[in-house]
Amino acid sequence: MSKKQTTGLIIAAVIFTVVGIISVVTNTLSSKLLSKEETQSTSFSSFMEELYGSNHAALADMPVAQDFIAVLPIKGTIQASANTSSIYGTTIGYNHDLLMEYVEKLMHNDSNKGIILQLDTPGGTVYEADELYLKIMEYKEQTGRPVWAYMESTCCSGGVYLASTADEQYANRITTTGSIGVIISNYDMSGLYEKLGIKEDNIVSAKNKDMGSGGKPMTSEQKAIYQAIVDEYYEQFVDIVAKGRNMSVEEVKKLADGRIYTAKQAMENGLIDGIKTEEEFNDYVKEKSGVENFYRPRQSGGYLSGIFGSLSSVKEKSESEVLVDLMNQLGSGVPMYYAEPFGE
């Protein structure tokens, strides 16, 4: 064990001890206070939310008496659960539950005057991308308020899917976008299994029940089944982009072969409305909407989750752990609107 790891573990042990003492004290005090007034329960819950975090706490300071434009941070891989870095769930990337709740609250907040989708994502799972897409479209239909999209470093695949909800789309001049398409990834580990003397032996109800299993190569029939799924979701993707960009399906299909585009190329092909720096884009939205105040939700992880999140990064992953993570993310047989991020 390295000196860095040892130091991290010592620090973690000290913090766990302190947290344990604090928990005993707060539990004792709270039990006494709770017996006196019911309102103390709310105060204690708020205190714990500040420590450990929650979606409610992240949105607690949303304006209700001042006009504002809501910024939706769509960062990292779009997926069912938030990317976390600690046992207490510090949110460091995409948080699907938070964004869904956020848009729902905005629909019922008269002070909100529009939404900015702040996109820096390689895309993600088909289900979550479509669920958030439908929620934003519901927001537009119910409120009639505008939606803008701003693409930062990367806005590919599922990011383009979500950007298609916007009335206007802009990108930074060095944005990478496009990758319009669908992918289902599986890993055939049968060759490795054979070398290791491992044989997968499944008891199945029908021949295709274990399709996509890493221990067996797929048959032609199974590949055709997966291809049919990909084709169906691809047609849906193309149709959404066509509607969002006021293009024909045929025009979009010429661009939607999975390739990526620079911001300049995207603009030339009608995939975005313009190229701006973030400052220029923000000024444009303020001028267009007449609203100066932008609201961003707080990070949903609390103070302690932030501490434990940083401590967890002390332990570096082995090559085998990295491989397992990759297989779990991309080799699960789940349909994805996804482009592999550069540099990873």
Side-chain angles (χ1 to χ4, degrees), residues 43 51-52 100 131 147 226 252 282 305-306 334:
S43 299
L51 286 178
Y52 295 108
M100 292 292 291
E131 187 175 42
V147 174
Y226 275 127
V252 175
N282 289 341
S305 61
V334 176

Side-chain angles (χ1 to χ4, degrees), residues 96-294:
H96 187 70
D97 292 340
L98 172 62
L99 293 179
M100 292 292 291
E101 182 178 340
Y102 188 10
V103 178
E104 180 67 30
K105 287 182 179 295
L106 291 173
M107 286 193 284
H108 305 289
N109 189 327
D110 293 335
S111 294
N112 171 249
K113 301 303 176 184
I115 286 176
I116 291 174
L117 306 179
Q118 192 176 53
L119 296 145
D120 192 0
T121 173
T125 54
V126 165
Y127 183 87
E128 278 68 36
D130 189 59
E131 187 175 42
L132 184 55
Y133 170 86
L134 292 174
K135 178 59 70 175
I136 297 171
M137 292 302 293
E138 181 185 357
Y139 165 91
K140 292 182 67 175
E141 292 167 6
Q142 286 197 13
T143 67
R145 301 169 197 160
V147 174
W148 295 272
Y150 185 71
M151 303 175 181
E152 297 182 341
S153 174
T154 302
C155 180
C156 287
S157 211
V160 175
Y161 195 97
L162 292 176
S164 297
T165 63
D167 301 287
E168 297 180 70
Q169 300 180 38
Y170 292 89
N172 188 279
R173 67 179 185 176
I174 55 171
T175 295
T176 300
T177 186
S179 188
I180 300 170
V182 188
I183 182 172
I184 295 179
S185 295
N186 283 301
Y187 289 88
D188 179 5
M189 306 291 288
S190 56
L192 177 61
Y193 283 11
E194 186 176 351
K195 290 182 179 180
L196 295 175
I198 300 172
K199 182 180 180 181
E200 182 172 334
D201 191 9
N202 300 320
I203 308 301
V204 297
S205 56
K207 60 181 179 179
N208 291 320
K209 182 60 181 175
D210 61 351
M211 60 183 286
S213 172
K216 297 181 178 181
M218 281 194 290
T219 65
S220 297
E221 180 183 12
Q222 290 168 350
K223 289 181 179 180
I225 292 171
Y226 275 127
Q227 187 63 56
I229 296 171
V230 167
D231 292 344
E232 180 179 332
Y233 292 149
Y234 172 75
E235 293 294 333
Q236 177 176 296
F237 195 168
V238 168
D239 185 61
I240 281 174
V241 174
K243 290 177 180 176
R245 298 306 303 161
N246 293 315
M247 300 169 68
S248 69
V249 169
E250 290 71 25
E251 288 175 317
V252 175
K253 282 190 173 181
K254 291 178 181 178
L255 305 172
D257 61 359
R259 76 180 64 187
I260 58 173
Y261 297 95
T262 65
K264 182 179 178 182
Q265 291 169 342
M267 186 173 175
E268 290 172 347
N269 285 294
L271 292 175
I272 61 174
D273 294 292
I275 298 173
K276 297 180 183 292
T277 65
E278 185 174 1
E279 183 178 0
E280 290 170 341
F281 171 76
N282 289 341
D283 289 342
Y284 173 76
V285 172
K286 290 176 182 178
E287 179 182 356
K288 188 112 179 197
S289 65
V291 178
E292 290 288 324
N293 185 32
F294 286 8

